[in-house]
Amino acid sequence: MVEVITQLTDKQKAVTIGVIFAVTVAFSLLFGENVIAQAIVFLIGWYLFTGNRPVAIYIIFKTLPRDMKVLVRYIKLNYYLKRWDKKGWTVGHVFQSIVERHPDKVALQIDDHIMTFQDAEDLSNQVANYFHALGFHRGDTIALLMENKPEYGCMWLGLSKIGVITALINTNLRKDVLLHSIRVADAKAVIVGTELIDAIEEIRKEEDIAKLPIYQHHDPMQVRQNLPQLSGTIGLTDALSAASVDAPTEEMNKGKVSDKMVYIYTSGTTGLPKAAVITNARYMFFVLGCGFMVGVRQSDIIYNPLPLYHTAGGMVGLGTVFLLGTTTVLRKRFSASNFWTDCIKAKATAAQYIGEICRYLLSVPDRPHDTSHTVRLMFGNGLRPQIWPQFVARFNIQDIGEVYGSTEGNSNLANIDNKVGAVGFVPVYAEYLYPVTLIKCDEETGEPIRNSEGWCIKCKPGEAGIFLGKIIRKTPARAFGGYADKKASEKKILRDVFRKGDAYFNSGDILVRDIFGYFYFRDRTGDTFRWRGENVATSEVEAVISNIVGLHDCVVYGVEVPHVEGRAGMAAILDPKREISVENLSNGIRGCLPAYARPLFVRLMDELPMTGTFKMKKLDLQQDGFNLDKVSDPIYFLHPDGVYRTLTREDFEKIQSGNARL
């Protein structure tokens, strides 16, 4: 764990005081016999000597190079945002301006399938013209279910040009959760890639889905004769090829930066996925903020193996193409063994990651090409401090751009100076310019702790607390667009925090800050934990498991696993008579939950710990974890074949040592 610095050493204080004294004396001598000037100098020196000011002076000068760098990038960010706002540009307009500058430059690539900027512009225009001709109107929503490919971004970019919102559906979702995601967005149609038609076929009989037009898109690089066409769907690939490539200028000019552009789904404490609203303004701020802060260049070739329905891969990853003019090389699915060979083949100069990717890359045996790539920058979120130095050293990465921020939130941070373990920083003297803060909370419930006057309490350096971002509606960067579900939006807003009427976005994350303004991630509050790069909503998993085991009480929570990023799922099930069939449980979980949401451990209990108000005491269960030295109940472990088997002492020791296949 990275040490969080909460105070200066005696030596640092002494040096600072010595410097202040030397400067005071020097200025005093400079003014010679001018008694008034000397008196003023000594008064200033005395003022700087007293209280905590020597510490503040040390911090300011220590962080000055870092803060000047971020200031320049922040000015650049605001320059572009204001310039585009003044012109009334949406994301589609910005992309057009980039296409005009270099139409033949490669924009997107996957394997041997290359799409230039002009190709992407043409396809997005065809999407816009085709769906506009069908009668889709500004404010309508179309759900997009498609695996990674260059056409993915062109679909939602084209729809945004006519004001149609695209709901970016997680490709892992099936049945009830998939139904919910389409319904909550109030989708008027579905675009589905041929590779995922089975998922749509499973829900086609549902009354409201049966009424929706389904547009099936074939991968143009595949042999057309071998591609199945789902009965009753519309072949989109051929339909688009017949549409006009002319820009829908009239419709585009009706658009505003405040218009909704896409929905990106995020798990929350309510259980089922929530559709976070991403406006043009939000998209621009997030992409440019990440891109400029971590040092992305227009000349970069970025390797992106992340799913395009997520913020990291689809919002930031594709955004560097659409707003910054980079080249992005995609991959259908991440592969640790092929990561660096892919980067070498693509001549990538930058690459994206989530924390799990870094751990997987380190787990691959050393190879000669580990350092024969041209990647200078890797950016993303979740790189564990425990492996950070090892990762940088082994793969010879010049810069790590660790960023922090939720899909829907207004509180974003970036680590631009390779500070190991930090998710970002805010200069200690700039809190008023960038109003984010940490407040004290109850460790078990995550509820804010208020003082006797009813106000929240700010954390001191070294104290962990909930990370908040002040909501300022008139400022796009500080606004909170919320979710398609208004009730879900309200739950993320914390009101009357420090004064009557103020409002803050509640990230639900526990962070800690040091005296230099660096923030470090600690944990998540509520009923969500992160595993395999995905947010897992415990209430959703609890409901599924409870149905499988005949409505037995069930509680799901995340547990720490040594040498692994995030928290693994663990389910505690009430089963005093030991009547639950583990075989049926295995089959049911495998059939109903995506791989990342399946609990790694199952614990059968005689009774579940509850509070006096009948709430499950998850903290007690989390502390027990899967430790065989603490738990006498039967514990089952999910093996790679999808079957739960008794957790043996041998299994436990392998997990503890990091040698188990998880």
Side-chain angles (χ1 to χ4, degrees):
M1 185 63 66
V2 173
E3 180 186 1
V4 178
I5 300 174
T6 59
Q7 59 184 3
L8 299 184
T9 64
D10 292 338
K11 181 180 180 180
Q12 290 169 331
K13 291 179 182 178
V15 169
T16 305
I17 291 172
V19 171
I20 294 173
F21 179 77
V23 171
T24 301
V25 171
F27 271 96
S28 175
L29 295 174
L30 182 66
F31 288 114
E33 297 180 357
N34 190 327
V35 177
I36 295 177
Q38 286 185 343
I40 293 173
V41 168
F42 273 105
L43 283 173
I44 294 173
W46 177 257
Y47 176 79
L48 296 178
F49 270 116
T50 58
N52 203 41
R53 294 184 186 93
V55 174
I57 290 171
Y58 180 91
I59 292 171
I60 289 172
F61 279 93
K62 177 75 173 178
T63 60
L64 190 60
R66 177 201 73 179
D67 296 344
M68 291 304 297
K69 182 191 293 187
V70 78
L71 177 62
V72 170
R73 295 179 182 182
Y74 191 71
I75 291 173
K76 182 180 178 182
L77 164 64
N78 281 278
Y79 167 76
Y80 277 95
L81 291 177
K82 289 180 179 179
R83 177 186 171 198
W84 294 345
D85 183 55
K86 187 175 181 179
K87 290 184 176 183
W89 279 6
T90 60
V91 172
H93 288 106
V94 176
F95 184 63
Q96 278 187 340
S97 70
I98 293 174
V99 174
E100 290 172 1
R101 292 199 298 271
H102 43 228
D104 298 325
K105 179 182 176 181
V106 175
L108 297 159
Q109 180 176 351
I110 189 166
D111 299 325
D112 296 325
H113 181 17
I114 295 174
M115 185 176 285
T116 66
F117 277 84
Q118 189 63 59
D119 292 336
E121 170 69 1
D122 290 347
L123 179 56
S124 67
N125 289 338
Q126 288 175 315
V127 171
N129 292 322
Y130 174 71
F131 282 97
H132 185 255
L134 290 176
F136 286 90
H137 302 293
R138 186 169 298 276
D140 287 344
T141 300
I142 294 178
L144 176 62
L145 183 66
M146 183 183 290
E147 290 187 348
N148 284 13
K149 61 183 71 173
E151 290 77 12
Y152 188 99
C154 298
M155 292 293 171
W156 63 252
L157 179 63
L159 292 173
S160 74
K161 290 182 177 181
I162 59 171
V164 173
I165 307 161
T166 308
L168 309 183
I169 307 293
N170 186 323
T171 56
N172 293 295
L173 302 184
R174 295 295 183 271
K175 297 181 180 178
D176 290 346
V177 186
L178 177 57
L179 273 169
H180 165 82
S181 298
I182 295 173
R183 286 169 175 163
V184 76
D186 192 23
K188 299 294 189 294
V190 177
I191 297 174
V192 59
T194 298
E195 66 278 6
L196 293 168
I197 55 172
D198 290 345
I200 292 297
E201 192 168 18
E202 288 178 346
I203 62 173
R204 281 285 296 280
K205 294 181 180 179
E206 295 293 327
E207 183 178 352
D208 49 349
I209 303 299
K211 298 177 182 178
L212 298 181
I214 308 295
Y215 299 90
Q216 184 175 335
H217 182 269
H218 295 305
D219 190 331
M221 295 299 288
Q222 292 178 305
V223 179
R224 190 65 58 86
Q225 295 88 329
N226 297 331
L227 299 177
Q229 182 77 33
L230 184 62
S231 176
T233 64
I234 302 160
L236 185 58
T237 308
D238 291 337
L240 290 179
S241 64
S244 171
V245 297
D246 295 335
T249 305
E250 184 177 347
E251 283 300 315
M252 285 181 64
N253 291 338
K254 294 178 183 177
K256 301 176 182 178
V257 293
S258 59
D259 288 346
K260 297 177 183 179
M261 190 174 68
V262 296
Y263 291 136
I264 296 181
Y265 290 82
T266 177
S267 296
T269 56
T270 55
L272 292 170
K274 297 192 294 291
V277 176
I278 307 298
T279 63
N280 281 270
R282 169 69 178 159
Y283 190 88
M284 290 172 173
F285 174 76
F286 201 97
V287 172
L288 261 64
C290 289
F292 286 163
M293 289 301 171
V294 303
V296 171
R297 305 167 185 167
Q298 188 181 80
S299 59
D300 275 328
I301 299 174
I302 301 174
Y303 179 62
N304 178 8
L306 308 179
L308 298 182
Y309 57 78
H310 261 184
T311 304
M315 191 166 168
V316 178
L318 291 182
T320 62
V321 177
F322 296 149
L323 298 181
L324 297 177
T326 68
T327 295
T328 289
V329 178
L330 304 170
R331 202 178 203 281
K332 284 193 180 294
R333 290 179 184 82
F334 165 73
S335 168
S337 59
N338 291 308
F339 188 93
W340 295 114
T341 52
D342 284 348
C343 287
I344 293 169
K345 181 180 178 182
K347 299 180 180 179
T349 55
Q352 290 186 256
Y353 71 84
I354 56 173
E356 281 296 276
I357 282 181
C358 299
R359 187 176 67 84
Y360 290 144
L361 292 176
L362 280 175
S363 68
V364 176
D366 289 5
R367 296 180 179 182
H369 56 240
D370 284 352
T371 56
S372 58
H373 55 80
T374 53
V375 175
R376 77 169 204 290
L377 165 69
M378 287 192 67
F379 61 99
N381 67 284
L383 177 54
R384 289 193 294 133
Q386 293 87 345
I387 66 171
W388 189 314
Q390 181 186 355
F391 183 83
V392 169
R394 174 175 167 182
F395 300 114
N396 192 29
I397 304 300
Q398 179 181 334
D399 288 307
I400 293 291
E402 175 76 8
V403 296
Y404 167 86
S406 60
T407 301
E408 72 279 26
N410 67 345
S411 43
N412 308 299
L413 299 170
N415 179 351
I416 66 170
D417 61 345
N418 295 299
K419 177 67 174 178
V420 174
V423 298
F425 68 91
V426 175
V428 293
Y429 45 80
E431 290 185 5
Y432 292 103
L433 297 176
Y434 196 70
V436 297
T437 191
L438 297 177
I439 63 168
K440 293 184 179 181
C441 67
D442 182 277
E443 181 181 354
E444 184 169 340
T445 66
E447 289 297 314
I449 296 173
R450 294 180 181 264
N451 61 23
S452 58
E453 297 178 347
W455 308 124
C456 293
I457 306 167
K458 287 189 177 183
C459 294
K460 298 176 182 178
E463 292 181 343
I466 304 175
F467 187 63
L468 305 181
K470 189 173 184 179
I471 297 173
I472 306 174
R473 293 183 178 180
K474 295 182 179 180
T475 305
R478 308 303 312 153
F480 171 51
Y483 308 101
D485 182 347
K486 299 299 181 184
K487 291 182 179 179
S489 300
E490 187 59 32
K491 290 181 180 180
K492 294 295 289 185
I493 300 175
L494 195 58
R495 301 187 184 277
D496 300 332
V497 177
F498 301 117
R499 62 183 60 185
K500 190 69 175 177
D502 66 7
Y504 282 74
F505 169 75
N506 184 350
S507 71
D509 291 338
I510 303 295
L511 275 64
V512 64
R513 178 176 60 88
D514 68 13
I515 59 173
F516 299 110
Y518 288 107
F519 287 84
Y520 303 86
F521 182 83
R522 282 292 179 264
D523 209 342
R524 295 181 184 273
T525 64
D527 293 329
T528 304
F529 61 90
R530 195 164 181 82
W531 179 246
R532 302 299 191 213
E534 299 275 357
N535 286 338
V536 181
T538 59
S539 55
E540 175 195 338
V541 181
E542 286 165 359
V544 170
I545 294 177
S546 183
N547 286 334
I548 293 171
V549 297
L551 301 181
H552 284 244
D553 285 344
C554 171
V555 57
V556 174
Y557 45 96
V559 295
E560 292 184 346
V561 179
H563 314 290
V564 179
E565 170 67 23
R567 291 178 181 266
M570 185 165 184
I573 305 173
L574 183 64
D575 184 29
K577 297 181 181 179
R578 301 294 183 264
E579 58 189 9
I580 290 175
S581 167
V582 178
E583 180 180 357
N584 291 340
L585 178 65
S586 300
N587 293 335
I589 288 178
R590 197 165 56 245
C592 297
L593 291 172
Y596 66 84
R598 297 168 192 166
L600 195 61
F601 306 98
V602 170
R603 175 180 176 181
L604 302 183
M605 302 185 66
D606 295 333
E607 60 179 7
L608 295 177
M610 293 187 178
T611 66
T613 54
F614 302 101
K615 293 180 180 178
M616 302 291 185
K617 298 173 70 173
K618 291 188 178 182
L619 187 60
D620 293 350
L621 295 170
Q622 284 179 318
Q623 291 174 345
D624 287 344
F626 55 92
N627 191 337
L628 294 179
D629 296 324
K630 290 184 177 182
V631 180
S632 58
D633 300 316
I635 297 180
Y636 296 89
F637 171 49
L638 182 62
H639 286 250
D641 60 2
V643 176
Y644 287 96
R645 298 185 180 90
T646 300
L647 179 68
T648 65
R649 176 62 61 174
E650 182 181 1
D651 291 330
F652 178 74
E653 290 175 354
K654 282 184 178 180
I655 294 169
Q656 292 295 108
S657 64
N659 294 321
R661 293 179 59 193
L662 303 180

